[in-house]
Every structure is written in C-alpha cells, then in structure tokens.
Amino acid sequence: MILDSFDNKKYVTDDKLWGMICRANDLTPGDYSSWDENAQTLVPLLKRILARAKEVRDWQVYFYVMGKTFWFVRRSGNNDIPLAFQLSEMFHRAHAEKLAENATRFAREQYVNIAAGILHFYMHYPQIDDEKMERMLAIFLESEEKYGTDWNRGDYEKIMKAALFQHDPELARRAKKKLELVDYGSWCYVCYYVRPMLQYYVYQDDYEMVRELILGVSRKEIPKKYRWCFDKCEQANEETLVMEALQYCLELGRCELFQKIFETWQESYTHPIEGEIVTYDALFHVLAGDLSRLDEEIEVAQNDDREWREQKVTPLDAMYWMLCWYFYFRLLEKRGIETVEIDLGEESPVFEGYGISGAEEGVSGEETAAYAAETGADKTEEAVSGDEKRRYSCQAVSAYFERKADETGRKMDRARKRFDYGELKRSYGECLWSVL
C-alpha cells in the first residue's frame, strides 16, 4: 500500500480524508508494478488528498503524502517531472508558512525527509542554480537540526551525494558523521551506509576502505541485525558495489584508485555480463575486452538515448550516460570494431548538428561539416533494407553521444560554480585510458 503508515482510522480524524486514503491503498495492494499500472488514477487522487489534508490542517497526512507523491511521480514509469517541481514549490510555501512548527513528531520527520529529497532532485537539473541549491541545503540543515530525529540521519545519504557533486568536503564529513550514527533497522544498510561511504572513501582516495566495504558486503560481514537487507536489496552484492566504486572514480577524478579497483576485480569484467546490462557495466566490460554481448549493449545505448530524448531521465544522469557511450564507442574502435548497427531515432549523427544544421550556438554549418568529415560522422551506410537500424562508424556514434553529453555539461557548468564539466570529461578519459 502506498500510504501504509495510515492503515488505521485512528490516525485520521476527517472522514472524507480517510476515505480517499483507503482508496489510494486499495489501488496499490501489490508490488510497485501494480502502483505504476494505476498511476493515471492514483496521482490525481494523491493530489486531492494533499488538498484536503491542507484544508483540514492534518499535517501528518499532508507531509507524509507529499513525500510519497514526490517519490512516486519521479519513478521511471511515471516521470511527471512538472508535478515534482510543483510539489517542491508546495514544500517551499509550507516552509514559509512554518507549517511544521505545530505538527506532530511524525509529520516533522516527513518534513525533513522531503527537504533532503528536494535537494537531491534539484541537483539533477541545471535550471536550478547555486543560489537555489544553497537555499534548499540551508532549509534541510535548519529543519534537521530543529525537527530531525534519529530516523532522519538516514537522509544524509542524499546530502553525501550533493556534497561530493559540489566538491564540498566539509559537508561530506558532516554527512559521514551522521550516517555513522544511524540505526539501520529502518534504512537499508547497503543503500544508506555502504554506498554513500563507498563514495566518500573514493573521494578520499582510500583504496583499503573501499575494498573493505565491498568485501564486507560480499562476505555478508555486516551487523547481524541489518542482514535483512540482503533479502530486500538488489544492490547488496559485490558486482554492483565494484561498478559503483569505478563510476565514482570517473566522476571524482581518482585515476590511480580507478586502476587499483579495476585491476583487483578485472577478471569479473572479462566474462560475459550476467543478467540485465546497465550502462556502466557495458563500459567496463568493453574496457576489459569482453564483447560477448555487444548487440545487447548497443540496445542499451539506444534505450538510454531514447529515454533522454523522451525526457524520461534527469539531465545529470543523462550527462553521465552519454559520456559513458561516448567513451564506449571509442573503446570499441580501439578493440577493432569500426562500424555498428544502431537506431538513434529519426535523426542520424549527421543531422544532429554535425554535417547539416550547424545547430550549436556560434558554430557555422561549414565548421560542423568539417568536424563531421574529420570524425567520420558523415560516413554512414544503410543497413539491410527494411531494418530500422542503420550502420554507422563507431567514430560517428561516439561523436553523437559526445555532443549530447557536452550540451548538458555546459548547462551544468553555468549553473554550478563548483562543477567543472571539462574536468569531468578529462577524468573519464584519463581513468579509462590508464588501464588499457
């Protein structure tokens, strides 16, 4: 049930509000798939619950449902980003009106949790500049200090991500101290302790601690009372943590550490990927020379590109993914593969500003045409007649994904004083080339 904290009438005094809560829970009896299937009915209902809760001044329901709705509409199957921004503005109004001051302990916990969620959400969008980020961080820190409980320490998992993205070591240390004090009976130990700590120790360039964290999960050497997470969490495994550690090295510019981690676990990347392929999996396997699932990896590249064009992924995530595919196709070429069949939508790399339109600001059509000729982006070949895919040089596909990454990277540069896209891009290249 999506509103499982309200499973008893004693928690809700307003009959109309209680009826709507029951309806929302009736629509979500099973796993998340049943929730997503009912999204068209469920989201409008959650919005009505919010309106009614504010009308009757039931702040327990109001902040709890706001948090649940904010989480639900950002799931990939729903992807109602405009509503997520609306909910963020609702929270800001609630903060301005000081609605949490007279709320219950439970409502205040939810309030602090939402503040952390909004900060993490803002981090992914370049239209949110430093000033807005700093304001949201201040709201979280102020609210956590004033209203936070032991449970809210788990919210510092999101603060750790924001701290390291902004290259703020003081905030990262503060998040680390908070996470070390969490009782992980309510939070997944792997997701809310191991993974943020893994990111922190990559930032600190501490190979021994990175290795200790990964092997601790691999051997299930975590406190006994938290081992329930192995039955619940898909991330609680060695393979995922190694991949994330390597990913953090790329993002944080830790090339020597990247080499050490990759050398330690390289053998796992020389064998075929088991199960679902994710973007970084594909990159690290081709880096190790494993091309056994090449066609399926290219399908993942297509899907990542399509999801970005359909705005089903955040700009920040898309920027990282596009960088991965930029280097992936460069690595393919180094492995002796010159061309691939791929569907990049209606427009080929040529028409994405390289050979025809000159779509970049301040770049002429002649300049982009010259760039296309230099990189091979104008050397395409039709695939078998009737096939939706076309055959392109790896150089052309790499150039396509590079441009996608650069577009968002430049926007992030303008929005974030401490973010340096050029340095990030160099870091990816230096880390990857260092192990070839």
Side-chain angles (χ1 to χ4, degrees):
M1 299 185 298
I2 192 167
L3 305 180
D4 53 357
S5 288
F6 292 101
D7 58 357
N8 192 306
K9 178 68 170 68
K10 70 180 181 180
Y11 300 122
V12 184
T13 57
D14 182 73
D15 290 339
K16 183 177 180 180
L17 188 57
W18 173 246
M20 289 190 286
I21 289 171
C22 290
R23 174 62 175 152
N25 284 335
D26 288 343
L27 287 169
T28 52
D31 58 20
Y32 291 152
S33 62
S34 71
W35 302 22
D36 295 336
E37 289 169 3
N38 288 304
Q40 289 187 338
T41 303
L42 184 59
V43 172
L45 178 58
L46 291 171
K47 290 167 70 175
R48 292 198 300 273
I49 293 173
L50 276 171
R52 181 63 180 177
K54 187 169 187 181
E55 181 184 349
V56 300
R57 302 184 68 79
D58 189 328
W59 305 129
Q60 285 202 128
V61 173
Y62 186 69
F63 289 120
Y64 178 71
V65 174
M66 182 185 291
K68 283 284 190 176
T69 309
F70 185 69
W71 167 81
F72 183 63
V73 299
R74 290 178 296 126
R75 281 176 57 80
S76 58
N78 306 312
N79 197 49
D80 192 341
I81 300 306
L83 179 53
F85 275 108
Q86 289 174 25
L87 291 166
S88 301
E89 290 305 310
M90 288 173 62
F91 176 84
H92 280 286
R93 287 195 294 273
H95 181 75
E97 295 169 12
K98 300 181 179 180
L99 298 183
E101 285 192 354
N102 298 314
T104 63
R105 180 177 183 272
F106 176 79
R108 290 175 172 179
E109 283 182 335
Q110 304 306 309
Y111 182 86
V112 174
N113 180 255
I114 296 167
I118 292 173
L119 178 67
H120 183 252
F121 172 64
Y122 280 177
M123 186 177 79
H124 285 72
Y125 290 87
Q127 58 264 51
I128 303 297
D129 59 18
D130 275 337
E131 184 178 351
K132 292 178 182 176
M133 284 287 292
E134 289 167 6
R135 173 62 180 151
M136 195 63 239
L137 174 61
I139 289 173
F140 168 79
L141 294 175
E142 172 194 325
S143 301
E144 194 276 329
E145 183 176 349
K146 191 173 182 180
Y147 304 131
T149 65
D150 290 345
W151 179 77
N152 285 121
R153 289 173 183 152
D155 291 318
Y156 277 86
E157 175 263 346
K158 294 180 176 63
I159 306 307
M160 179 70 82
K161 291 178 180 177
L164 297 183
F165 177 71
Q166 295 281 69
H167 298 282
D168 186 338
E170 183 178 344
L171 183 60
R173 286 192 290 271
R174 180 171 180 169
K176 177 178 180 289
K177 288 179 181 178
K178 289 285 187 174
L179 291 168
E180 288 172 338
L181 298 173
V182 175
D183 179 354
Y184 289 94
S186 301
W187 301 91
C188 172
Y189 185 82
V190 171
C191 289
Y192 287 86
Y193 179 79
V194 174
R195 294 170 73 189
M197 290 298 180
L198 191 66
Q199 190 174 14
Y200 179 81
Y201 285 116
V202 167
Y203 182 70
Q204 294 295 319
D205 225 342
D206 190 333
Y207 171 76
E208 292 304 323
M209 284 303 301
V210 168
R211 183 174 179 273
E212 182 179 319
L213 284 168
I214 293 172
L215 293 180
V217 172
S218 176
R219 298 166 180 167
K220 298 189 176 182
E221 295 173 351
I222 67 174
K224 186 175 181 180
K225 64 179 179 177
Y226 303 142
R227 291 177 191 169
W228 59 265
C229 68
F230 289 111
D231 298 324
K232 302 285 187 180
C233 179
E234 294 181 355
Q235 318 303 322
N237 60 77
E238 181 177 327
E239 294 77 13
T240 297
L241 296 178
V242 171
M243 183 178 67
E244 289 193 354
L246 291 170
Q247 175 186 339
Y248 298 149
C249 288
L250 295 177
E251 295 173 7
L252 296 169
R254 301 297 184 261
C255 293
E256 290 184 11
L257 183 59
F258 182 92
Q259 284 181 277
K260 289 180 182 179
I261 297 171
F262 195 79
E263 287 170 3
T264 301
W265 279 278
Q266 182 168 356
E267 186 176 351
S268 64
Y269 288 109
T270 60
H271 301 295
I273 299 171
E274 296 182 4
E276 181 183 2
I277 299 172
V278 297
T279 302
Y280 282 95
D281 248 345
L283 178 65
F284 298 143
H285 273 265
V286 74
L287 181 62
D290 172 33
L291 305 177
S292 58
R293 296 181 67 182
L294 178 60
D295 290 344
E296 294 166 274
E297 289 168 4
I298 291 173
E299 291 283 345
V300 176
Q302 291 175 176
N303 290 340
D304 283 354
D305 176 58
R306 183 175 59 251
E307 288 201 350
W308 172 229
R309 286 186 283 107
E310 294 175 354
Q311 298 184 6
K312 293 182 177 179
V313 60
T314 72
L316 182 63
D317 285 340
M319 181 191 70
Y320 289 134
W321 294 359
M322 299 303 112
L323 272 179
C324 277
W325 294 119
Y326 162 54
F327 285 105
Y328 173 90
F329 287 101
R330 288 185 66 184
L331 285 167
L332 275 190
E333 189 176 28
K334 285 184 176 292
R335 297 296 181 193
I337 296 176
E338 296 182 356
T339 64
V340 292
E341 287 186 3
I342 188 168
D343 175 15
L344 294 173
E346 295 179 0
E347 296 189 356
S348 75
V350 177
F351 300 114
E352 280 285 327
Y354 284 100
I356 300 295
S357 70
E360 286 293 310
E361 292 183 16
V363 180
S364 68
E366 291 81 6
E367 288 173 311
T368 54
Y371 182 81
E374 180 184 343
T375 62
D378 59 347
K379 298 174 184 176
T380 61
E381 179 183 330
E382 293 287 348
V384 178
S385 178
D387 194 338
E388 292 182 358
K389 297 179 181 179
R390 294 184 178 184
R391 182 165 291 279
Y392 300 110
S393 70
C394 283
Q395 286 183 334
V397 180
S398 179
Y400 172 85
F401 282 111
E402 180 184 26
R403 180 172 181 265
K404 293 264 186 173
D406 288 354
E407 286 175 347
T408 303
R410 283 192 292 270
K411 292 176 183 177
M412 284 289 181
D413 267 339
R414 290 192 290 268
R416 307 276 193 270
K417 293 176 183 177
R418 296 185 182 181
F419 178 78
D420 186 336
Y421 174 71
E423 184 61 33
L424 174 72
K425 190 175 178 181
R426 283 191 293 274
S427 170
Y428 268 64
E430 289 172 4
C431 288
L432 295 168
W433 304 148
S434 70
V435 301
L436 284 178

